[in-house]
Amino acid sequence: MVDPVQRINALQERAAVTKPPALPRWEDWQRSVPNEVVRSALFTVGNRRDRREFLVETELAAIGETQVTYQGVELRQDDEDVWLQALHLAREQPLDAPIEFVPHAFLRAIGWPTTGHYYALLRDAFGRMQRTTVTFRNQRLHKGLSISLIRRFEWSDRDAGGSDDRCKVWIEPEMRLLFGNTQYTRIEWEQRRHLRPLAKWLHGYFASHRTPLPVRVVTLRDACGSDTRELRNFRPKLKAALTELVEACFLSDWQIDETDLVHVCRAPAPGVEACGQTRLI
C-alpha cells in the first residue's frame, strides 16, 4: 500500500516540474534583469540616433565567467529600457502567455513621449530584439543557452496609439533559466529612467554586486560597448557618468586610483543618509 504522505509529495513534485515557467516576482518600483546581461556589452552605450551595426556570431565583451555571443542589430540602452519594461509586465503571469499592453501606457512607463514618432521607435525596438540570437555559456548554466530576447510581438496597423490599440509580446520561456533563483539584479527604476546611457550601463553593472570590487577602466570601456577607442578620451566620460550616479544617490563615492582601477561605494537605501561626494584622481 502506498503511503499517503509519499503520494502527496510525489504529486507536488510532479506539479512543480510541469508548472509553466514564470519569472521571479519583484516590486513595482523595481525592474529585474539577469546578471549575465548587465555584466556584458549586450546593450551598449551607443547613441540611439547613430547607425547601428549588424553583428554576426560576435563574442561580446563581458565581465566574469560568462561568454556571450550575439547575432543581430546592435542593441543599446533604449532597447534595454523597453526590454526591462516587457519583463516587468511578464513577471505577473506564466512565460508561455503573451503580455498585453497599450502603447501609450508603455511609453509613459519607460519615460518616452507619447507621440507617433515614439510609437514607431517602440515597434522598432521590439523588432530588433525579436531578430536576435543571444548565446550564453557559463558554469552556472552547465550548458549553452541560445535564445531570442523577444519571441514574437503583434501590433495594431493603426498609428494613433489610442486606448484600444493593444499590443502583445511573447517572452521566451527559457528566459527563466537566466534568472535562476538569485542570479538576477533588481534595479531601482526611477533612478535608471533619468540617467544617460553610460550611467545607465554602470547603474546596472554595479547594482549586480552588493559590494562592487575594483575594476579597470579598460574593462568597463569594453564591457559597456563604448566606441571610444582611446582610454584618455573615455575616462572623462566615465568620470561624468560616475558623478551622475552620485547625484542620483546610487553611489556615495568613487575614485580612480593610480593603477587605473575604479573603486565605487554603493549608497545606502534612499532616506538613510545624504549622497556623498566624489573624489577625482
Side-chain angles (χ1 to χ4, degrees):
M1 182 176 179
V2 179
D3 186 338
V5 175
Q6 291 181 339
R7 184 171 183 274
I8 292 173
N9 290 339
L11 290 172
Q12 289 177 338
E13 291 177 2
R14 186 181 305 170
V17 171
T18 58
K19 184 178 179 180
L23 295 177
R25 299 301 299 270
W26 55 83
E27 300 295 331
D28 194 55
W29 55 271
Q30 298 172 320
R31 298 295 182 271
S32 291
V33 58
N35 290 339
E36 288 87 350
V37 171
V38 291
R39 296 174 183 175
S40 75
L42 180 57
F43 293 98
T44 77
V45 298
N47 189 319
R48 69 183 184 186
R49 295 180 179 84
D50 293 342
R51 184 175 179 179
R52 299 171 188 254
E53 184 180 359
F54 186 89
L55 306 176
V56 179
E57 289 299 311
T58 301
E59 184 173 346
L60 303 178
I63 301 176
E65 64 173 14
T66 302
Q67 179 184 359
V68 183
T69 306
Y70 178 76
Q71 178 159 309
V73 177
E74 177 193 354
L75 301 177
R76 295 175 178 162
Q77 290 300 303
D78 57 330
D79 298 303
E80 186 171 8
D81 288 337
V82 172
W83 194 57
L84 288 174
Q85 180 63 17
L87 292 176
H88 186 65
L89 297 178
R91 85 196 194 287
E92 299 178 345
Q93 60 192 45
L95 284 173
D96 57 0
I99 60 172
E100 295 188 48
F101 59 88
V102 175
H104 182 90
F106 197 103
L107 289 171
R108 287 179 61 86
I110 62 177
W112 291 10
T114 55
T115 63
H117 173 69
Y118 284 90
Y119 286 109
L121 290 181
L122 184 58
R123 288 195 297 271
D124 291 344
F126 280 123
R128 278 191 295 273
M129 290 186 283
Q130 182 191 24
R131 297 186 293 272
T132 58
T133 302
V134 192
T135 303
F136 299 91
R137 295 184 180 90
N138 62 25
Q139 187 175 0
R140 174 179 76 83
L141 294 170
H142 302 295
K143 58 184 176 182
L145 176 63
S146 186
I147 59 175
S148 176
L149 294 176
I150 298 292
R151 169 183 283 189
R152 169 184 161 199
F153 75 102
E154 294 180 1
W155 202 278
S156 170
D157 285 335
R158 290 174 294 181
D159 293 327
S163 60
D164 58 341
D165 290 351
R166 300 193 67 83
C167 303
K168 293 183 180 181
V169 172
W170 284 257
I171 304 292
E172 294 284 10
E174 292 76 13
M175 192 61 63
R176 183 65 180 86
L177 298 176
L178 280 181
F179 274 82
N181 294 323
T182 58
Q183 290 79 22
Y184 63 95
T185 296
R186 296 187 180 190
I187 293 173
E188 187 172 332
W189 184 235
E190 278 304 306
Q191 278 185 343
R192 176 183 168 87
R193 284 204 331 162
H194 301 288
L195 298 173
R196 289 175 292 184
L198 178 54
K200 281 186 176 183
W201 189 92
L202 294 169
H203 185 260
Y205 172 71
F206 288 126
S208 72
H209 299 80
R210 186 181 299 275
T211 305
L213 295 174
V215 58
R216 296 196 175 278
V217 170
V218 66
T219 302
L220 293 176
R221 190 273 312 270
D222 294 343
C224 75
S226 173
D227 60 2
T228 304
R229 296 188 178 185
E230 297 290 337
L231 285 181
R232 60 186 174 86
N233 295 327
F234 178 72
R235 284 191 196 92
K237 298 178 181 179
L238 176 61
K239 292 176 180 179
L242 291 168
T243 300
E244 191 176 347
L245 292 176
V246 172
E247 293 170 349
C249 292
F250 174 70
L251 298 180
S252 61
D253 193 18
W254 64 267
Q255 64 173 317
I256 301 176
D257 68 21
E258 64 279 1
T259 65
D260 227 22
L261 280 173
V262 180
H263 303 255
V264 304
C265 181
R266 292 275 305 273
V272 175
E273 73 177 43
C275 299
Q277 302 295 318
T278 61
R279 286 182 291 163
L280 296 160
I281 293 181

